Amino acid sequence: MAKKNKKIIRLRTYKFINIGTIIFAFILLYLIISVVMYLSKERIQIYTVSEGSLAVNSDYTGIILRDETVYNTEYNGTVYYYMQEGQKTGVGDLVYSIDETGQMAELLAQQSADGNQLSEENLTYLKRMLANFSTSYDQVNFSDIYEVKYSIQAALLEYASMDAMTELNQALTEMDAQFQMYYAPSSGVVAYYSDGFEGVSAEQLTMDSFNKDNYEKQYFQAGAMVEAGTAVYKTVNSDQWSVIIPITEEDLTELADRDTVRVKFKLNQFETTADYSTFVTNDGTTLARLSFDNYMAQFLSERFVDIELDKNQAEGLKIPVTSLTTKDFYKIPVDFLTKGGESSENGFNVETVGEDGEVTSRFVAATIYYSTDEYYYIDTGLEDIPSGSYLLKPDSSDRYMVGETEPLTGVYNVNSGYAIFRRVDILEQNEEYCIVSDSTPYGLSVYDHIVLDASTVNEDDIIY
């Protein structure tokens, strides 16, 4: 039997690269790179343009002027009051008395020891006084705390003396004391302070009048010693009053067509409408007068008042201030604009010099982003109108060298996936938002997408 050949010959094998593996590897690498770039890339926040409005308020400090009459006493002695501040008195009503002997003080002290208490109405008034002070307190005007202190002290003495008058008048009559009673000669709202502005007309005010550092207020306190001829109380004789404020040229322009304006008092957040007018003072200063027919009693104890004026309310497209940016544009004199091309496009005749030195011109279309009476503004990125090139004036030999630029305000529109500058006309602006026109050529429209923070991108950056 023949012997079998057990020798095994191995065949050479060849390794072939799988094209699918290569493609998969490239896709995987691309995805990894994309994810890394996405995670490391600064987030670009997008804002959707919407219609809106923006109320523009301006702050002022004004001086309150009223029809005020100050009354002086004819005797020396201790003064006591029979009416609360803010109460309206009629002709013949008892307002105050003068105790020449001091017997009233003894009787008041005796009654106080017997446990005289404030009424609920008195307590409510004092609480409201403290609440108004707390709301409007400013550390810069620390001296205001002394003013409210004196007001509360005067009110407490006033309440104490008034609550006891019914019993004390009879006791003094029996004692035959030297006690002078004073009755109101006319009607008016009673106030127990004086500051020198009584009887001052609006035309007599100067800019120094608005300096609160020069302001002094004298309080008339029940139980105080007074001399003959000194002021003891005053009345406000009319419900008509006014607030006088300084006004700028800008204010005059913005309020030129207004005869009323909305006013907000910061003291108590009260809002109302005032008649608005302007006048010239004796020294030539222009001031504004805000006139009111009601609410005088709410500000009886105030001379200076902080207010806000709602000057206007702009309507248009509302965008964040952070979206605003600027871009430089070439300034071209308006006389150099011409039309050309098949569609009569706007553009300019650009000077060209041939190889033989012959000077000719060619028309280059250009988008006009903005215009004034003197200049048109065009993009600085036009290849056919570079800086240093000359434009030719139609039907003239005049030439203009392109190069002068001026920045225009706008935002980055990203509707197409990359940042495109769009100019905006700002109508009004505050710290957070601005209102821009919805009819600006090459501007914005409602529902456009813009970059929320313009500082995070550059023009032509791909956003998504």
Side-chain angles (χ1 to χ4, degrees), residues 35 37-46 453 456-457:
V35 170
M37 291 179 61
Y38 174 80
L39 294 176
S40 60
K41 184 178 181 180
E42 185 178 3
R43 298 290 186 274
I44 306 299
Q45 293 181 289
I46 307 302
D453 186 354
T456 60
V457 301

Side-chain angles (χ1 to χ4, degrees), residues 131-139 141 144 266-268 306:
N132 289 340
F133 170 74
S134 177
T135 302
S136 60
Y137 176 67
D138 185 354
Q139 291 183 350
N141 300 319
D144 290 348
K266 293 187 176 181
L267 175 65
N268 51 12
D306 294 325

Side-chain angles (χ1 to χ4, degrees), residues 66 85 125 147 151 193 217 297-303:
R66 318 175 186 88
E85 184 170 77
Y125 178 82
E147 182 175 325
S151 297
Y193 74 91
K217 195 172 185 180
Q298 296 187 29
F299 304 94
L300 180 64
S301 62
E302 307 297 329
R303 183 65 69 183

